[in-house]
Amino acid sequence: MAPVTPPASQNAFEPFGDQTPGCEPYWYQGYASAYYTASHVEFRRKCRLFVEEELSPNMERWLDRREVYPLDLHAKALARGLPTAGLAQAVQSRYPAEVMPEGGFDPFHELIYLDELAAIGPGGAMGQCGINSMALPPVLFAGSEEVQAEVVDDVIAGRKNISLAISEPSAGSDVAGLRATAVREGDFYRVSGQKKWITGGHIADFLTLAVRTGGSTSGGQGVSLLLVDVKRTPGIEIRKMETQFDTCHGTTFITLDNAMVPAKNLIGQEGQGFMYLLFNFNHERLVISVGSCRFARLCYAEALKYAVRRKTFGKALAEHQMIRWKLGEMLRQIEALHDYNERVAFQYKSGVPDSRLGSQCALLKVMASKTFEYCAREAAQVFGGSSIVREGPGKMVERLYREVRASAIPGGSEEVLLDLAARQAISGAKRQAASSKL
């Protein structure tokens, strides 16, 4: 009897990329999805082509030479219809009409873009576009037209870049503990303080800078945001810091010593900066989570293919039950994380406000970094000694392993985010309990 060919699934597209099970997202491998359209399929093709032509052939050279990737790639990306500053709600409509897909961008275009950039592995190529996507939204949803005119179009066009300057030596996840001050003096703010772990600071033309303008020395009250023109403002020193992970991007330490910033560069209202940042963090956590998911998938893919070809004790690694268990557990966590990324993207697409997504995005990022960490560890165990040297078959896994903490700590540490989600749940439980007594 001839085999029966199953009918094509509804809402499924032609297979794309690596068809080894689990090595690409499910909808790349012919499975149906409720989220994607022909617009996303075409956008995915553009992303993959850009990565293959512009990034993959050059990544190792940039890393070996400790170079920053060429920033003119931003304008090249835009010319191909790819975003230069993310696709948060406030940013989507600012792209030129000629690069917009039919029907416009949506959060799933951004999910695809971030996933495709991460598919070549760690290294930070095009990483400033992700930072632009975190630093520009506060300017767009709170900044005056004058402030927006100074920076937005140039960043979107790929001509300039903007970094988010919040963290300090004594205030990382504890944003409310920041100490940098901005004292109003006529038409200027006199800004002094230090900022640490400011990604892309050495290539930024502007900073979205968090400072304390109020009388209090701690807490969310009195925090404001300023747009700082780095190249035109004396009193700013920026130093690139060495990191645990390989990067052709980088993070920096910034010292502001009586830097005079025009008062007109205040973003939104004085004293409201902490609220602007709280809403902004949700998108930042989604960005990190999508990249972490692909990194976890790379760990799995590298381990799976190695396990099939590597032999120990007279048989392939994949024939050992414990190795199969590791691979299965990695894939289970990766697919669950990918589904969670899509669920949060769908909330954004459906117009759910950021004020309702704090807990969801916090838990998502924790799940992402824990999944990535688990997969990096298990992939290293599969590779054995090959995973601890920066050459040979385990080179990619070794590099991925050193990237884990860069997912677990920036954007809010796992401990802080779990506490945030728990506190919101407890607060909601108390409200429900109180209302049930009425």
Side-chain angles (χ1 to χ4, degrees):
M1 184 176 177
V4 176
T5 302
S9 301
Q10 291 185 345
N11 301 318
F13 300 97
E14 289 295 320
F16 180 85
D18 188 349
Q19 293 304 295
T20 307
C23 292
E24 298 275 17
Y26 69 96
W27 70 284
Y28 286 44
Q29 299 191 331
Y31 290 97
S33 172
Y35 300 121
Y36 303 101
T37 67
S39 172
H40 298 112
V41 171
E42 173 60 15
F43 183 74
R44 178 183 63 182
R45 184 193 65 80
K46 291 180 180 180
C47 293
R48 181 67 60 99
L49 192 61
F50 179 79
V51 169
E52 290 177 347
E53 292 181 353
E54 300 288 353
L55 306 185
S56 294
N58 302 305
M59 175 77 92
E60 290 299 324
R61 185 180 78 255
W62 297 333
L63 294 177
D64 289 344
R65 296 180 180 177
R66 306 169 75 85
E67 296 176 345
V68 174
Y69 69 90
L71 297 180
D72 63 1
L73 286 175
H74 294 184
K76 289 183 179 180
L78 184 68
R80 293 190 181 206
L82 307 182
T84 51
L87 292 171
Q89 191 66 43
V91 182
Q92 290 176 20
S93 62
R94 299 303 293 261
Y95 287 98
E98 59 269 22
V99 305
M100 297 272 279
E102 186 176 353
F105 285 122
D106 67 28
F108 288 96
H109 289 95
E110 181 166 40
L111 192 155
I112 292 167
Y113 182 58
L114 295 169
D115 180 72
E116 286 292 325
L117 286 181
I120 57 171
M126 300 296 286
Q128 188 60 37
C129 290
I131 299 303
N132 290 342
S133 81
M134 301 171 190
L136 200 59
V139 176
L140 284 166
F141 65 69
S144 66
E145 290 185 4
E146 185 176 3
V147 169
Q148 292 184 28
E150 190 168 348
V151 62
V152 174
D153 289 343
D154 280 340
V155 172
I156 293 292
R159 292 187 291 267
K160 294 187 177 180
N161 295 288
I162 182 170
S163 286
L164 189 61
I166 303 173
S167 298
E168 299 181 358
S170 59
S173 294
D174 178 20
V175 176
L178 65 85
R179 299 177 180 177
T181 59
V183 179
R184 182 70 180 262
E185 295 183 4
D187 293 333
F188 290 85
Y189 285 101
R190 182 181 296 275
V191 181
S192 296
Q194 296 176 324
K195 295 293 176 179
K196 192 174 183 181
W197 308 292
I198 308 308
T199 306
H202 55 310
I203 57 176
D205 300 281
F206 295 93
L207 299 174
T208 298
L209 178 72
V211 291
R212 192 165 291 284
T213 52
S216 62
T217 58
S218 63
Q221 293 184 345
V223 174
S224 301
L225 298 183
L226 296 174
L227 178 68
V228 179
D229 188 330
V230 175
K231 306 297 172 61
R232 298 180 181 178
T233 306
I236 301 177
E237 179 183 336
I238 301 176
R239 172 176 60 85
K240 186 177 179 181
M241 297 190 294
E242 295 300 317
T243 58
Q244 179 184 43
F245 50 89
D246 293 334
T247 180
C248 56
H249 189 203
T251 194
T252 61
F253 191 103
I254 300 178
T255 301
L256 300 109
D257 183 10
N258 293 310
M260 303 301 287
V261 179
K264 64 181 177 62
N265 282 23
L266 178 69
I267 299 173
Q269 298 180 20
E270 189 172 286
Q272 297 299 306
F274 188 69
M275 180 185 68
Y276 303 148
L277 292 175
L278 287 180
F279 292 158
N280 200 57
F281 284 145
N282 291 337
H283 178 259
E284 177 181 356
R285 288 161 187 161
L286 176 61
V287 170
I288 294 171
S289 297
V290 174
S292 298
C293 185
R294 176 57 89 159
F295 288 162
R297 195 180 296 278
L298 278 175
C299 292
Y300 162 81
E302 292 286 319
L304 172 63
K305 294 173 183 179
Y306 184 71
V308 169
R309 67 178 186 268
R310 167 74 163 148
K311 290 186 176 181
T312 62
F313 303 103
K315 58 182 178 180
L317 273 177
E319 297 303 312
H320 295 278
Q321 185 180 30
M322 180 52 71
I323 299 299
R324 294 197 299 272
W325 185 90
K326 291 177 183 294
L327 294 170
E329 181 63 12
M330 279 192 272
L331 187 56
R332 180 188 70 80
Q333 294 188 31
I334 291 163
E335 298 296 7
L337 172 58
H338 188 87
D339 286 349
Y340 200 166
N341 281 327
E342 289 182 328
R343 175 153 63 90
V344 170
F346 184 69
Q347 303 311 303
Y348 276 114
K349 183 177 181 180
S350 301
V352 176
D354 266 298
S355 58
R356 293 193 59 199
L357 291 175
S359 177
Q360 291 293 311
C361 291
L363 292 174
L364 171 63
K365 183 181 175 292
V366 173
M367 184 175 178
S369 58
K370 285 183 173 291
T371 298
F372 179 23
E373 182 166 22
Y374 178 85
C375 291
R377 182 193 186 281
E378 293 305 305
Q381 293 300 107
V382 172
F383 273 89
S386 293
S387 71
I388 61 173
V389 292
R390 300 185 185 189
E391 61 181 58
K395 179 179 181 179
M396 176 59 74
V397 169
E398 187 278 335
R399 181 176 291 167
L400 284 159
Y401 203 100
R402 288 185 286 110
E403 186 79 16
V404 168
R405 300 265 63 83
S407 293
I409 296 173
S413 70
E414 294 172 351
E415 294 79 7
V416 168
L417 296 183
L418 286 172
D419 182 63
L420 167 64
R423 283 189 287 109
Q424 289 193 356
I426 291 168
S427 176
K430 288 179 177 179
R431 287 196 302 271
Q432 286 296 107
S435 64
S436 66
K437 296 176 182 179
L438 297 178

